[in-house]
């Protein structure tokens, strides 16, 4: 592959990664707003596929010498009802299908082409799923209009809303941070740290769901802006940053728990808080086994780039 073609592929993969990130958020938002239902679970399943795609693309960006990113592409926040949301999801899949069909023709590397073909097949399946979900959502909407409807949720206290808002922004950041660290460390000789970070990223996505469903259940839009994400260059620095994140979160959740009023919402934050303490202890254990940080040469700045140079395809 010529350097120019390589640059063009990296650029296209970065745009695709931003769109995968957008798809994760668009679908999770819909699932949370639909509350606990079979359909919401299926939509969350599609969001998990998009998370896998984000991971695959980000790995390739790093392998080819590019900078991975946590920026989000166009996210469709429009539509007022589940059938309208599903229509917008069909459109998102159509955009992805068109993009991957174009990208597959530009990729010279057979392994990259195979990975893009795998992602493209998922998007084609998702499109069909969202068409079916739209029909189901339409039927559910019609049935709900005929029934008397469920009792609306009691208003949420300001302090409870503040805790959930903060939690959503934190969990979103933790999910991104652990995913980034996971794929950056994936080619290191010992994959345990990478695998654990990926597992805990999925756990943070569950927390996002617990908190997000409560906000959405009260008719409140989630704050879809993550807290800042740290991406240091080596395993030990990443784990140190992850430990700091967990410590800060435990302290914040602990503080919110002394002020929150609704027992159900408190229970949700308590559950997340307990798991954050586990994450902190797990990351501390992993840090003890992580490769020692290399002493930086005078004047040398450690960046993602320094890690990339050590990678092989
Ligand atoms: Fe995707
Ligand atoms: Fe998709
Ligand atoms: Fe969490
Ligand atoms: Fe955590």
């Amino acid at each position: 592959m010529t350097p120019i073609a390589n640059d063009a592929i990296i650029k296209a993969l970065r745009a695709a990664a931003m769109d995968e990130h957008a798809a994760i958020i668009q679908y999770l938002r819909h699932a949370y707003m639909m509350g606990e239902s079979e359909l919401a679970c299926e939509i969350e399943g599609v969001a998990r596929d998009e998370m896998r795609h984000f991971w695959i693309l980000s790995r390739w960006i790093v392998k080819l010498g590019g900078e991975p990113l946590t920026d989000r592409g166009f996210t469709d926040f429009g539509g007022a009802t589940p059938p309208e949301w599903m229509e917008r999801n069909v459109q998102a899949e159509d955009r992805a299908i068109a993009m991957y069909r174009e990208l597959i023709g530009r990729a010279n590397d057979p392994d990259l082409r195979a990975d893009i073909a795998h992602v493209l097949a998922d998007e084609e399946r998702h499109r069909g799923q969202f068409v079916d979900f739209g029909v189901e959502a339409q039927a559910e909407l019609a049935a709900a209009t005929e029934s008397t409807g469920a009792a609306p949720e009691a208003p949420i206290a300001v302090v409870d809303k503040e805790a959930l808002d903060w939690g959503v922004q934190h969990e979103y950041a933790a999910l991104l941070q652990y995913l980034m660290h996971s794929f950056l460390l994936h080619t290191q000789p010992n994959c345990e740290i990478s695998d654990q970070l990926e597992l805990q990223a999925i756990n943070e996505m569950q927390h996002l769901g617990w908190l997000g469903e409560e906000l959405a259940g009260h008719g409140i839009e989630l704050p879809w802006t993550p807290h800042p994400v740290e991406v240091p260059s080596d395993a030990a620095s990443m784990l140190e940053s992850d430990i700091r994140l967990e410590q800060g979160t435990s302290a914040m959740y602990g503080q919110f728990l002394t002020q929150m009023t609704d027992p159900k919402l408190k229970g949700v934050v308590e559950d997340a808080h307990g798991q954050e303490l586990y994450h902190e202890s797990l990351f501390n254990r992993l840090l003890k086994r992580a490769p020692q940080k290399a002493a930086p040469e005078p004047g040398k700045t450690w960046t993602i780039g320094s890690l990339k140079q050590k990678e092989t395809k």
Side-chain angles (χ1 to χ4, degrees):
M1 205 181 282
T2 66
I4 291 165
N6 198 48
D7 281 355
I9 286 288
I10 290 170
K11 200 174 161 202
L13 289 171
R14 280 169 60 91
M18 283 171 63
D19 284 347
E20 292 294 348
H21 179 171
I24 299 169
I25 296 307
Q26 181 168 324
Y27 303 161
L28 285 181
R29 177 176 176 266
H30 293 163
Y32 300 162
M33 289 195 296
M34 288 165 75
E36 278 177 25
S37 70
E38 208 175 299
L39 204 48
C41 284
E42 294 204 61
I43 296 168
E44 264 195 83
V46 179
R48 275 195 297 276
D49 276 349
E50 309 301 4
M51 194 167 99
R52 218 161 30 79
H53 297 170
F54 177 72
W55 205 97
I56 292 170
L57 295 173
S58 299
R59 282 291 319 140
W60 271 105
I61 293 166
V62 177
K63 278 180 192 175
L64 296 173
E67 294 285 337
L69 73 177
T70 55
D71 304 75
R72 194 171 76 218
F74 168 65
T75 317
D76 195 339
F77 285 99
T81 62
E84 287 173 21
W85 300 333
M86 295 311 110
E87 177 50 37
R88 284 162 191 273
N89 296 348
V90 171
Q91 290 166 9
E93 294 296 338
D94 278 339
R95 289 193 297 273
I97 290 165
M99 177 184 64
Y100 288 122
R101 281 186 185 156
E102 205 252 336
L103 190 54
I104 210 165
R106 293 164 70 191
N108 292 330
D109 187 308
D111 293 347
L112 175 58
R113 271 208 309 276
D115 280 353
I116 296 172
H118 163 73
V119 172
L120 175 59
D122 275 351
E123 311 302 18
E124 286 167 341
R125 184 169 42 82
H126 293 164
R127 189 197 187 281
Q129 282 180 290
F130 281 127
V131 170
D132 294 343
F133 294 167
V135 174
E136 281 177 54
Q138 189 65 56
E140 282 178 12
L141 190 65
T145 313
E146 278 172 24
S147 76
T148 50
E153 293 258 17
I156 190 168
V158 173
V159 64
D160 291 346
K161 179 180 178 296
E162 218 179 289
L164 296 183
D165 274 345
W166 189 91
V168 162
Q169 290 183 284
H170 155 72
E171 300 298 346
Y172 184 1
L175 161 64
L176 284 176
Q177 181 161 318
Y178 301 161
L179 267 187
M180 292 284 282
H181 294 184
S182 158
F183 66 69
L184 284 167
L185 297 176
H186 191 59
T187 50
Q188 305 272 302
N190 176 358
C191 257
E192 187 197 8
I193 297 173
S194 170
D195 291 348
Q196 276 294 352
L197 286 167
E198 189 184 359
L199 279 180
Q200 302 323 318
I202 293 166
N203 197 195
E204 304 298 5
M205 190 164 113
Q206 276 179 303
H207 296 175
L208 179 62
W210 295 347
L211 304 172
E213 276 171 20
E214 294 299 340
L215 278 177
H218 284 84
I220 299 166
E221 179 65 83
L222 275 66
W224 288 113
T225 316
H227 289 158
V229 170
E230 287 185 1
V231 186
S233 61
D234 60 85
S237 303
M238 286 181 198
L239 286 165
E240 281 166 1
S241 154
D242 299 342
I243 290 164
R244 276 196 306 276
L245 185 63
E246 293 295 342
Q247 286 169 337
T249 309
S250 295
M252 279 303 281
Y253 280 160
Q255 203 180 313
F256 280 126
L257 283 168
T258 63
Q259 301 160 356
M260 289 180 77
T261 57
D262 184 311
K264 186 181 169 216
L265 300 180
K266 246 179 128 164
V268 171
V269 173
E270 245 158 21
D271 287 347
H273 182 241
Q275 295 193 344
E276 312 307 4
L277 293 172
Y278 167 74
H279 293 162
E280 186 193 337
S281 71
L282 173 71
F283 295 157
N284 267 308
R285 254 188 287 153
L286 293 172
L287 180 59
K288 287 192 190 120
R289 301 203 285 271
Q292 292 279 307
K293 271 188 252 186
E297 293 158 27
K300 173 158 180 148
T301 310
W302 288 81
T303 63
I304 292 174
S306 61
L307 185 79
K308 280 182 324 214
Q309 286 159 18
K310 293 178 206 150
E311 298 211 0
T312 49
K313 256 192 3 190

